[in-house]
Amino acid sequence: MHNLCPNKGLSWRTHCLVSCGGPSSSIQSLGSKALGCYHQVKKLEDSGREMEFSMRRCQGGELLHPEDMVEDVLEDNDFLQLVFTGETERYDTSPLATAVQSSYQEPNKYISLDGTSLTTADLVSLGQGLFKIKLTLEAEERVQKARELIDVFIRENKVVYGVNTGFGKFACTLIPKEQLMKLQENLVRSSCAGVGAPLSIERTRMVLALRINTLAKGHSGVSMETLDSMIKAFNASCLSWVPEKGTLGASGDLAPLAHLTLGLMGEGRMWSPQSGWADAKAVLEGHGLRPLVLKPKEGLALINGTQLISSLGAEAVERALAVSRQADVIAALTLEALKGSKKAFHSAIHEVRAHPGQVEVAERLRSLLDSDVFPSQIAESHRSCTRVQDSYTLRCIPQIHGVVNDTIAFVQKLISTELNSATDNPLVFAEAGETMSGGNFHGEYPAKALDYLAIGVHELASISERRIERLVNPALSELPAFLTQDGGLNCGFMVAHCTAAALVSENKTLCHPSSVDSLSTSAATEDHVSMGGWAARKALRVVDHVEQVLAIELLAACQALEFLRPLKTTAPLEKVYELLRSVVSPWDGDRVASPDIEAAHSLIRQQKVWRTVQPYMDEYRRKLKT
C-alpha cells in the first residue's frame, strides 16, 4: 500500500507499508523490499535510479546493522525508515523516508479513565499500546453537564473568554456567533508552530491518553461527541505528528497539543499500525473514523494544558524508578568484585538516620550480599583482611542512592496529581453554573519537579562512574588494568569508562534547571512561563544516560568477577551474572564494545536485572522473619 502526501510544497513524502516477513527476517531484506516499493512510487516522478541507504528505527532513531534480525531490534508497533545517502540523516524528518512495519498486536484490555485516578504506570502502559481506553459513566455525566452549560451561554450570548472572544491579547475582542467554530479552527492551526523531531509513537499515545483523562474531569466544556472521537482514535492507534519542541509550558503546551488536535481534525500527518505515516484524513477514514469538527470552546479546551510536560514526566518517573532499583543491584555486584565490606549497611546505622530511601537501599544491599541466607565465597575469601573501611562510592551507597529514591517518590506524587488535574482555561463548573478564568495551565509544578528529578537521578550515574573507575584502575581494585588480560595488546574497558565519564559530564549540563528561566510572550500577557517542556525532555535524556552508565558498570562488574573465579558471589548476584552472560560473553580479548553496552542497557530498560533478584530478596525477608 502506498500513500503520497505533500510536505507543504517542499517535496513529496513517500510512505510505503511493507510486511515484516517474520521475526527471523533481516533488516537488509526488509530494506530491500522497501526500496523496491519506493522505486515503484518514484517512477511516477523520475527515473528509478539505484540509491544507497541505511536503516533506522522510528522509535528512538537507532542506526541498525543490515544483518540485524527483526526480532532483535524491533518492538511491537515499531517501524523502520530508509535514509538515503546524500539525504540529511534525520530519521524523523527525511523527505524520502520509507517505513517498514513490525508485528502489531491490538490490545483487548481496557483502562477506565475518570479524570481522577490515572497513575504514572497506567499512562506508560497506555503509551506502550497495552490497553485501550473507555470512560466511566460518572465521567461521561460530568462531561455532558459541562457542555450543556457552554451551549446555554452561547444561546444567551453571554461573553465567555475563549468561547466568543479572542485569545490572549485579543481577549476583549468579541467574535460573532456565526464565526465561533472558525475561531476554534484558527486557534488550532495558528498554534501548530512546533519544530524538531516528532514524539515517538509511545509518547504521542501518552499525550493523547492524558488529554482524554483531563477532559474526562468534566471542567473543559467539550462535547461527548468530540471526546468519543478522541477515544476512538486512541483505540485505533491513529496518532498525530507532534513535534517535540515549541512549548513554553505556560498557557499549556499549546504547540504540541495543537499538532495533536490538527491530526484529529484530519489535517497534517498521522500514523497508525496499518498505514505508517500518511495523510491524517486518509488514516482516519481508513479506520472508519471522521475528522473532528470543533464546536465553540473545543479548540481551546484541546490545546490548553500541561499534557506534554506531564506525560513525558510520567515516563521519566517510571524509568527513574526502574533504574534506581537496579542501581542497587549493580552496586552490590561491584562491591563484591572489589571485595568491599557490607558492615556499613548494618540496620543500626541507618535506623539512626531514618530517611526512607536510605533505609530501603541498605536493606536491599543486605539481602543481596553475603549472609546466612545467601553466603558468598568471595566475601569469605577476604573476611580477615586489614582494610578498615571502603571508599565513599561503596560505603555511602545507601545515603547516595537513598536520596535518589526519596526524590523520585516526591516527583511521582506531584506528577500523579498533575495527571489528574484540570489544567485548561477557562474552567467550567457545571454545578455552580459558571466558568472561571485562572492559571491552572501554568506548568511550574511539573517543571520544577522534573528539574529536581534530573538532578536527583543523575547522582546514580555520578557514583556509578566512580565505581567503574575503581574497577578498571589496578591501583584501586587489585584487578588487572582495565579488566583485560594481555594489557597493552588489549585495552579492555579503557574507553568504555571514557564513555561513562562523557555521559556523566553531559548530564552535568542537562541538570541545569529549565524552570529558572522565563521569557515574556503574547504581548506580555504570558509574562512568566515555566519552560516545562524542556525540563521534561531533559529529565528523560538524563535518565537515559543514567541507564547507559549503569549498563557499563554492570558489564565491568561482571568482567571483574571473571578474575575472581572459581570463587562465587551470592546466589542472587550470580543470577545477575548469568543474566548478563546470556547476552554478552566474557571479554577474552578486545572487541567492539557498543553492542555489549546496548545489550546491557536493554536488560536495564526491560527491568530484567531487578526481576532476576526480586524472588531472592523476598526469600531473604521471609527467612529473616522466621
Short mmCIF file of all heavy atoms in Angstrom, two decimals, residues 132-153:
data_model
loop_
_atom_site.label_atom_id
_atom_site.label_comp_id
_atom_site.label_asym_id
_atom_site.label_seq_id
_atom_site.Cartn_x
_atom_site.Cartn_y
_atom_site.Cartn_z
N LYS A 132 -6.56 -0.34 25.72
CA LYS A 132 -7.44 0.66 25.11
C LYS A 132 -8.04 1.49 26.24
O LYS A 132 -7.82 1.24 27.41
CB LYS A 132 -8.53 -0.01 24.28
CG LYS A 132 -8.00 -0.70 23.03
CD LYS A 132 -9.15 -1.29 22.22
CE LYS A 132 -8.64 -1.96 20.95
NZ LYS A 132 -9.76 -2.54 20.15
N ILE A 133 -8.84 2.48 25.85
CA ILE A 133 -9.43 3.42 26.80
C ILE A 133 -10.94 3.38 26.72
O ILE A 133 -11.53 3.23 25.64
CB ILE A 133 -8.94 4.87 26.50
CG1 ILE A 133 -7.52 5.08 27.01
CG2 ILE A 133 -9.86 5.91 27.10
CD1 ILE A 133 -6.95 6.42 26.59
N LYS A 134 -11.58 3.53 27.88
CA LYS A 134 -13.01 3.83 27.94
C LYS A 134 -13.23 4.76 29.13
O LYS A 134 -12.39 4.85 30.03
CB LYS A 134 -13.84 2.56 28.07
CG LYS A 134 -13.56 1.72 29.30
CD LYS A 134 -14.41 0.46 29.27
CE LYS A 134 -14.12 -0.44 30.47
NZ LYS A 134 -14.91 -1.69 30.44
N LEU A 135 -14.34 5.48 29.12
CA LEU A 135 -14.68 6.39 30.21
C LEU A 135 -15.61 5.72 31.20
O LEU A 135 -16.41 4.85 30.83
CB LEU A 135 -15.35 7.66 29.68
CG LEU A 135 -14.55 8.62 28.81
CD1 LEU A 135 -15.36 9.88 28.57
CD2 LEU A 135 -13.20 8.94 29.41
N THR A 136 -15.56 6.14 32.44
CA THR A 136 -16.56 5.71 33.42
C THR A 136 -17.86 6.47 33.16
O THR A 136 -17.85 7.55 32.55
CB THR A 136 -16.08 5.98 34.85
OG1 THR A 136 -15.95 7.40 35.03
CG2 THR A 136 -14.75 5.31 35.11
N LEU A 137 -18.94 5.93 33.61
CA LEU A 137 -20.24 6.59 33.44
C LEU A 137 -20.26 7.94 34.16
O LEU A 137 -20.85 8.92 33.66
CB LEU A 137 -21.36 5.69 33.99
CG LEU A 137 -21.65 4.42 33.18
CD1 LEU A 137 -22.71 3.57 33.89
CD2 LEU A 137 -22.09 4.77 31.77
N GLU A 138 -19.62 8.01 35.34
CA GLU A 138 -19.58 9.26 36.09
C GLU A 138 -18.85 10.34 35.29
O GLU A 138 -19.27 11.51 35.27
CB GLU A 138 -18.88 9.05 37.43
CG GLU A 138 -19.63 8.14 38.40
CD GLU A 138 -19.46 6.67 38.10
OE1 GLU A 138 -18.64 6.33 37.20
OE2 GLU A 138 -20.13 5.85 38.76
N ALA A 139 -17.77 9.95 34.62
CA ALA A 139 -17.03 10.92 33.81
C ALA A 139 -17.88 11.42 32.65
O ALA A 139 -17.90 12.61 32.34
CB ALA A 139 -15.74 10.29 33.30
N GLU A 140 -18.60 10.52 32.00
CA GLU A 140 -19.45 10.92 30.88
C GLU A 140 -20.51 11.92 31.34
O GLU A 140 -20.79 12.91 30.64
CB GLU A 140 -20.12 9.69 30.27
CG GLU A 140 -19.16 8.78 29.52
CD GLU A 140 -19.89 7.61 28.86
OE1 GLU A 140 -21.12 7.52 29.02
OE2 GLU A 140 -19.21 6.80 28.21
N GLU A 141 -21.09 11.68 32.50
CA GLU A 141 -22.12 12.60 33.01
C GLU A 141 -21.53 13.98 33.29
O GLU A 141 -22.16 15.01 32.98
CB GLU A 141 -22.72 12.02 34.29
CG GLU A 141 -23.59 10.79 34.06
CD GLU A 141 -24.04 10.15 35.35
OE1 GLU A 141 -23.71 10.70 36.44
OE2 GLU A 141 -24.72 9.10 35.30
N ARG A 142 -20.33 14.03 33.86
CA ARG A 142 -19.70 15.33 34.14
C ARG A 142 -19.40 16.08 32.85
O ARG A 142 -19.61 17.30 32.76
CB ARG A 142 -18.41 15.12 34.94
CG ARG A 142 -18.61 14.66 36.37
CD ARG A 142 -17.34 14.83 37.19
NE ARG A 142 -16.23 14.08 36.63
CZ ARG A 142 -15.89 12.85 36.98
NH1 ARG A 142 -16.62 12.21 37.90
NH2 ARG A 142 -14.85 12.25 36.45
N VAL A 143 -18.90 15.35 31.85
CA VAL A 143 -18.59 15.98 30.56
C VAL A 143 -19.86 16.56 29.93
O VAL A 143 -19.87 17.69 29.42
CB VAL A 143 -17.92 14.96 29.62
CG1 VAL A 143 -17.81 15.52 28.20
CG2 VAL A 143 -16.53 14.59 30.14
N GLN A 144 -20.95 15.81 29.95
CA GLN A 144 -22.20 16.26 29.35
C GLN A 144 -22.75 17.50 30.05
O GLN A 144 -23.21 18.45 29.39
CB GLN A 144 -23.23 15.13 29.38
CG GLN A 144 -22.91 13.99 28.42
CD GLN A 144 -23.77 12.77 28.63
OE1 GLN A 144 -24.42 12.62 29.67
NE2 GLN A 144 -23.78 11.87 27.66
N LYS A 145 -22.69 17.53 31.38
CA LYS A 145 -23.20 18.68 32.12
C LYS A 145 -22.40 19.95 31.83
O LYS A 145 -22.96 21.04 31.68
CB LYS A 145 -23.18 18.38 33.62
CG LYS A 145 -24.24 17.38 34.06
CD LYS A 145 -24.15 17.10 35.56
CE LYS A 145 -25.21 16.11 36.00
NZ LYS A 145 -25.10 15.79 37.45
N ALA A 146 -21.09 19.80 31.75
CA ALA A 146 -20.25 20.97 31.46
C ALA A 146 -20.54 21.50 30.05
O ALA A 146 -20.60 22.72 29.84
CB ALA A 146 -18.77 20.60 31.60
N ARG A 147 -20.74 20.59 29.09
CA ARG A 147 -21.02 21.04 27.72
C ARG A 147 -22.38 21.72 27.64
O ARG A 147 -22.55 22.71 26.93
CB ARG A 147 -20.98 19.85 26.75
CG ARG A 147 -21.16 20.27 25.30
CD ARG A 147 -20.03 21.18 24.84
NE ARG A 147 -20.46 22.13 23.80
CZ ARG A 147 -19.65 23.00 23.23
NH1 ARG A 147 -18.37 23.07 23.60
NH2 ARG A 147 -20.10 23.84 22.32
N GLU A 148 -23.35 21.21 28.36
CA GLU A 148 -24.68 21.83 28.36
C GLU A 148 -24.61 23.27 28.84
O GLU A 148 -25.30 24.15 28.30
CB GLU A 148 -25.63 21.02 29.25
CG GLU A 148 -26.02 19.67 28.65
CD GLU A 148 -26.73 18.78 29.65
OE1 GLU A 148 -26.95 19.24 30.80
OE2 GLU A 148 -27.05 17.62 29.30
N LEU A 149 -23.75 23.54 29.81
CA LEU A 149 -23.61 24.90 30.31
C LEU A 149 -23.01 25.81 29.23
O LEU A 149 -23.47 26.95 29.04
CB LEU A 149 -22.75 24.92 31.57
CG LEU A 149 -22.57 26.29 32.23
CD1 LEU A 149 -23.92 26.85 32.69
CD2 LEU A 149 -21.60 26.20 33.40
N ILE A 150 -22.01 25.32 28.52
CA ILE A 150 -21.41 26.11 27.44
C ILE A 150 -22.46 26.40 26.37
O ILE A 150 -22.55 27.54 25.86
CB ILE A 150 -20.21 25.36 26.82
CG1 ILE A 150 -19.06 25.27 27.83
CG2 ILE A 150 -19.72 26.04 25.54
CD1 ILE A 150 -18.48 26.60 28.24
N ASP A 151 -23.26 25.43 26.02
CA ASP A 151 -24.30 25.63 25.00
C ASP A 151 -25.32 26.68 25.47
O ASP A 151 -25.81 27.49 24.65
CB ASP A 151 -25.01 24.31 24.68
CG ASP A 151 -24.10 23.33 23.94
OD1 ASP A 151 -23.11 23.79 23.33
OD2 ASP A 151 -24.38 22.12 23.98
N VAL A 152 -25.64 26.68 26.75
CA VAL A 152 -26.55 27.69 27.30
C VAL A 152 -25.95 29.08 27.15
O VAL A 152 -26.61 30.03 26.72
CB VAL A 152 -26.86 27.40 28.78
CG1 VAL A 152 -27.55 28.60 29.44
CG2 VAL A 152 -27.74 26.15 28.90
N PHE A 153 -24.69 29.23 27.49
CA PHE A 153 -24.02 30.53 27.39
C PHE A 153 -24.01 31.03 25.95
O PHE A 153 -24.18 32.23 25.69
CB PHE A 153 -22.58 30.43 27.91
CG PHE A 153 -22.48 30.29 29.41
CD1 PHE A 153 -21.30 29.87 30.01
CD2 PHE A 153 -23.56 30.56 30.22
CE1 PHE A 153 -21.20 29.74 31.38
CE2 PHE A 153 -23.49 30.44 31.60
CZ PHE A 153 -22.31 30.03 32.17
#
